[in-house]
């Protein structure tokens, strides 16, 4: 399992896409970010060298379907393309995986983890090792998405300026889901604030204490909340409730 070789092949694959496009650039950085987060989680868990390398390979390939989604639709929205399913299709049905790794020993684990990495809930994996890697990639994906929400332009992420987002309200249905400590169904999001709150609801779907340790160390909850100025008074009050709830949930002092 040669990670350096896999990364070289990934760079060649990216030659099919416009690296100057903000969304493509964001997803390239995210891919490498998730690869690194996968390494950190796996090593903190004390996994074997093979599993640490496998976690990184899955991180490298988990969003490979996103690039075609951006090229075709200029969108990250799930209703225009199921990027996880498309990634599985091109990697396995079309044989792209063999460009990154020659041996097929880990194909079942890689396939299950990528197929399930963006599901609303992680279900349907019975193999213990495949389930472990599915949980790692889901945590690593959320962990790097924290960085994205802090570092990248809000307009690139969400299609609206920070000022526009902070001026909107949170839909009652979305706020209700959040207060139940649930992830937000994408179909219920209506306002840009609904989208912003849904990113914070990711923290309710973290699998490992090692991931929570990193979230606390980097103070991601507070930094994401503070990224936006909530000029809508009702939204500002609700976001303070969100702040307190999440801090309590992850065990972080305010």
């Amino acid at each position: 399992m040669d990670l350096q070789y896999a990364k070289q092949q990934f760079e060649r694959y990216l030659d099919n896409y416009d690296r100057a496009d903000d969304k493509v650039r964001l997803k390239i950085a995210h891919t490498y970010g998730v690869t690194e987060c996968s390494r950190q989680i796996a090593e903190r868990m004390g996994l074997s060298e093979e599993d640490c390398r496998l976690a990184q390979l899955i991180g490298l390939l988990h969003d490979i379907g996103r690039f075609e989604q951006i090229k075709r639709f200029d969108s990250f929205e799930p209703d225009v393309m199921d990027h996880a399913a498309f990634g599985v299709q091109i990697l396995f049905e079309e044989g792209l995986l063999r460009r990154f790794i020659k041996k097929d020993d880990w194909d079942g684990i890689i396939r299950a983890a990528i197929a399930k990495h963006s599901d609303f809930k992680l279900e349907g994996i019975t193999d213990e090792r495949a389930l472990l890697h599915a949980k790692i990639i889901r945590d690593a994906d959320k962990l790097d998405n924290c960085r994205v929400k802090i570092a990248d332009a809000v307009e690139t992420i969400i299609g609206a300026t920070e000022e526009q987002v902070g001026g909107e309200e949170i839909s009652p249905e979305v706020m209700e889901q959040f207060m139940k400590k649930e992830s937000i169904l994408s179909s219920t999001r209506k306002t840009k604030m609904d989208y912003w709150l849904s990113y914070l609801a990711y923290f309710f779907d973290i699998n490992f204490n090692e991931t929570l340790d990193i979230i606390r160390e980097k103070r991601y909850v507070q930094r994401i909340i503070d990224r936006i100025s909530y000029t809508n008074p009702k939204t500002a009050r609700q976001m303070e409730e969100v702040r307190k709830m999440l801090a309590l949930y992850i065990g972080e002092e305010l």
Side-chain angles (χ1 to χ4, degrees):
M1 200 185 306
D2 187 338
L3 287 173
Q4 191 58 39
Y5 173 80
K7 288 176 181 178
Q8 290 170 356
Q9 292 303 312
F10 180 68
E11 285 294 322
R12 291 192 178 100
Y13 177 78
L14 292 174
D15 290 340
N16 298 307
Y17 301 96
D18 180 7
R19 292 171 183 262
D21 181 282
D22 278 347
K23 290 186 177 69
V24 173
R25 178 195 55 76
L26 184 153
K27 277 299 162 184
I28 294 171
H30 174 64
T31 295
Y32 287 122
V34 172
T35 304
E36 171 60 17
C37 289
S38 297
R39 181 194 66 78
Q40 291 178 22
I41 294 167
E43 289 185 355
R44 286 186 184 222
M45 291 176 69
L47 299 184
S48 68
E49 182 179 350
E50 181 176 285
D51 277 317
C52 287
R53 295 175 75 81
L54 180 56
Q56 291 174 76
L57 181 67
I58 292 168
L60 184 71
L61 300 177
H62 83 287
D63 256 359
I64 201 160
R66 281 291 198 194
F67 297 98
E68 193 64 25
Q69 180 181 5
I70 295 166
K71 187 175 183 178
R72 294 185 191 183
F73 303 106
D74 190 33
S75 172
F76 296 136
E77 288 298 307
D79 57 340
V80 300
M81 177 186 279
D82 183 338
H83 75 283
F86 184 72
V88 168
Q89 177 186 321
I90 60 175
L91 286 169
F92 292 91
E93 274 72 42
E94 298 178 20
L96 183 65
L97 182 63
R98 296 282 81 84
R99 281 179 54 181
F100 300 96
I101 182 169
K102 299 303 181 185
K103 295 177 70 176
D104 62 3
D105 301 44
W106 306 279
D107 281 15
I109 297 170
I110 297 168
R111 183 174 191 142
I114 292 175
K116 297 289 186 179
H117 85 269
S118 61
D119 281 9
F120 183 66
K121 291 183 180 179
L122 181 55
E123 297 172 331
I125 299 178
T126 55
D127 178 80
E128 187 175 330
R129 196 176 181 198
L131 182 59
L132 169 68
H133 280 281
K135 288 180 176 179
I136 291 172
I137 188 59
R138 285 171 69 89
D139 274 19
D141 197 12
K142 293 177 178 68
L143 200 54
D144 188 69
N145 266 313
C146 292
R147 178 198 59 78
V148 169
K149 301 307 180 288
I150 294 164
D152 285 277
V154 169
E155 197 159 1
T156 300
I157 298 166
I158 209 168
T161 66
E162 293 182 34
E163 292 76 15
Q164 289 170 326
V165 175
E168 293 190 347
E169 291 194 359
I170 302 166
S171 300
E173 187 178 1
V174 169
M175 192 66 190
E176 182 181 352
Q177 288 176 74
F178 186 91
M179 297 305 286
K180 289 179 180 177
K181 299 183 177 66
E182 297 176 352
S183 296
I184 308 301
L185 280 165
S186 59
S187 59
T188 64
R189 298 183 299 188
K190 298 178 179 66
T191 72
K192 296 301 182 183
M193 264 308 306
D194 290 346
Y195 279 77
W196 196 251
L197 186 62
S198 74
Y199 304 146
L200 288 158
Y202 288 162
F203 295 112
F204 296 134
D205 191 36
I206 296 297
N207 293 287
F208 300 114
N209 287 329
E210 290 80 3
T211 312
L212 287 173
D213 287 342
I214 297 170
I215 290 166
R216 286 189 292 264
E217 288 165 16
K218 294 185 178 291
R219 292 189 62 79
Y220 275 143
V221 169
Q222 308 308 322
R223 292 166 70 192
I224 293 172
I225 291 173
D226 291 339
R227 176 77 193 269
I228 300 291
S229 295
Y230 306 102
T231 54
N232 183 296
K234 181 180 178 182
T235 300
R237 290 192 299 271
Q238 289 175 315
M239 291 306 293
E240 287 309 306
E241 290 182 57
V242 166
R243 187 191 301 275
K244 292 173 185 175
M245 176 181 283
L246 281 175
L248 184 63
Y249 185 83
I250 71 167
E252 179 180 55
E253 291 185 8
L254 288 173

